[in-house]
Amino acid sequence: MYTADSRPPAARTAVTGLGVVTASGTTVAALYDDLRHGRERFTTAAPAPVANALPPGPGSAPVEAPAPVRAGHVPGPLPLTDFLGARTDRTLSRDSRLLIHAAATAGTEPAAERTAGERTGVVLGTMWAGRNEYFAIHDAAGSPGHRVNPVWGPHSGYNAAAAQLSLALGAEGPCLTLCAGTTAGLDAVATGVRQLRDGVCDTVLAAGADTLCAAAGTRAGEDGLPEGEGAALLVLEPAPTAGARALAQVLGTGEATAPAEDIPTPDALGRAATEAVQAALREAGRPAAEIGLIVLVGSGDTPADRAVVAALRQLTSPTVPLSEVARVTGRTGGGDGTLAAALAVEALRRGAAPAPGAAPLDGTALCVGADPAGTATALLLGRPAHQESGT
């Protein structure tokens, strides 16, 4: 028997802001267009440094440069001086930089201009968290003649990026970091929805982010897709207060876990994904026949991903378009789930799936993923309430 989320129908949650940073650039429109036209944004370059050592002293041995790797590299320095000030900008880790840049493009304001305070929460989904910084600091400390810049120490914890975002925006509500594997980004959105439903927050910044690391190396999944880096952030508010500012609404969420004795068989993951989707549909009060787009959050485990897709095809029409952001950006860890949600919002806004020759998207958009450890999460998104009602 699978355990699934069987919560009663909840008040709708609106998505009122959206920001992304990927190998496609810093707009969800560019990500959508790349996926629709089948463009891959994989390049060969050295991963950007996530921690800096102090300059080497006279006579020091040269530091070996990181080896270039083929991956979904985020181009550009992504400066945040105008948003945060030069001093804070200089001290950001790369994880924090990608995340805060996504927030900056989502329409959020610096702390001095915000009044949300303790009623604004932050939930970040990640797979690697501070791993990259620990590796980089370790390598720098072992280099002859190098001293590790002490400013990086406080930014090396697993919850550092979420904490930095909270500080930058003056968000004094709950600050959570979820490391749930493949589904981390989807779980961040689902957790944000629960916080709004339970009255813990008036606004939640639900995000996912991960970066490449030279010290950790990169590897391609069984399906050949390389690693990538990226961040996405969704601003969530109760639908009644969002009004015409809403870009989309989260109609339902669902989570399921396969029994321990079944892990990690592909069939078990397929059944867990089915349970998660059914839970989201129940909460939304919508039939599976309304699903007009599936955005998959794959794990790179080919048999597992195939089993999940096969299970989804049993629930929906075989003609429903299926997209996967990683086809453009590479697998971005915790960023995959929130990037999937951002893509679904853009598809609903345009009224078309990001696939060549796709029929108009009149129904809902489903985001779903299953982690090889045995958990699955689903989000069902729809057009804003004011568009559904025709107002």
Side-chain angles (χ1 to χ4, degrees):
M1 187 69 175
Y2 283 70
T3 58
D5 189 350
S6 56
R7 295 170 295 182
R12 298 284 186 254
T13 295
V15 179
T16 58
L18 198 61
V20 303
V21 176
T22 71
S24 292
T26 56
T27 68
V28 69
L31 179 63
Y32 176 99
D33 289 337
D34 279 349
L35 192 58
R36 182 161 194 173
H37 295 292
R39 303 186 189 109
E40 291 184 349
R41 294 300 181 184
F42 307 142
T43 55
T44 300
V50 294
N52 294 334
L54 293 172
S60 298
V63 180
E64 185 177 349
V69 294
R70 183 175 182 270
H73 297 272
V74 170
L78 303 177
L80 289 167
T81 299
D82 292 342
F83 190 69
L84 299 174
R87 182 175 182 179
T88 301
D89 188 18
R90 287 196 303 270
T91 64
L92 289 178
S93 68
R94 184 160 175 81
D95 300 75
S96 298
R97 183 174 302 282
L98 266 63
L99 179 60
I100 295 175
H101 199 285
T105 59
T108 52
E109 299 93 20
E113 301 175 21
R114 286 190 67 86
T115 57
E118 64 183 19
R119 298 291 298 172
T120 298
V122 170
V123 186
L124 172 66
T126 182
M127 286 183 69
W128 312 128
R131 172 203 69 166
N132 298 353
E133 291 178 359
Y134 283 120
F135 270 128
I137 290 172
H138 177 274
D139 282 5
S143 300
H146 259 74
R147 296 168 294 156
V148 175
N149 193 330
V151 77
W152 289 101
H155 304 301
S156 300
Y158 284 102
N159 64 338
Q164 284 280 47
L165 179 62
S166 294
L167 290 170
L169 300 178
E172 300 174 7
C175 181
L176 304 175
T177 298
L178 309 178
C179 299
T182 300
T183 63
L186 294 176
D187 291 334
V189 179
T191 299
V193 170
R194 285 196 292 269
Q195 289 181 331
L196 294 175
R197 180 199 65 192
D198 296 342
V200 175
C201 300
D202 295 326
T203 305
V204 175
L205 309 178
D210 268 309
T211 58
L212 296 166
C213 175
T218 60
R219 59 185 179 185
E222 294 180 11
D223 55 5
L225 291 178
E227 286 188 29
E229 57 185 353
L233 181 142
L234 282 69
V235 182
L236 305 178
E237 299 180 48
T241 62
R245 293 183 294 107
L247 306 174
Q249 57 179 333
V250 183
L251 302 173
T253 67
E255 295 157 305
T257 303
E261 61 270 18
D262 285 349
I263 299 172
T265 66
D267 287 345
L269 293 178
R271 291 192 292 271
T274 298
E275 292 288 342
V277 172
Q278 290 175 333
L281 291 169
R282 285 196 301 271
E283 183 176 276
R286 301 293 182 94
E290 284 191 10
I291 297 173
L293 169 66
I294 299 170
V295 186
L296 178 68
V297 180
S299 65
D301 182 322
T302 301
D305 290 345
R306 285 177 178 168
V308 170
V309 171
L312 295 174
R313 291 306 190 192
Q314 294 295 316
L315 289 174
T316 63
S317 166
T319 61
V320 173
L322 188 147
S323 299
E324 187 177 6
V325 176
R327 298 289 166 187
V328 170
T329 64
R331 302 206 179 280
T332 64
D336 285 347
T338 43
L339 284 171
L343 182 72
V345 172
E346 180 71 3
L348 289 165
R349 186 187 72 80
R350 297 196 189 197
L361 174 56
D362 296 324
T364 59
L366 174 69
C367 303
V368 60
D371 186 82
T375 59
T377 303
L379 304 175
L380 188 69
L381 295 97
R383 297 166 61 205
H386 64 84
Q387 290 185 13
E388 284 193 330
S389 62
T391 59

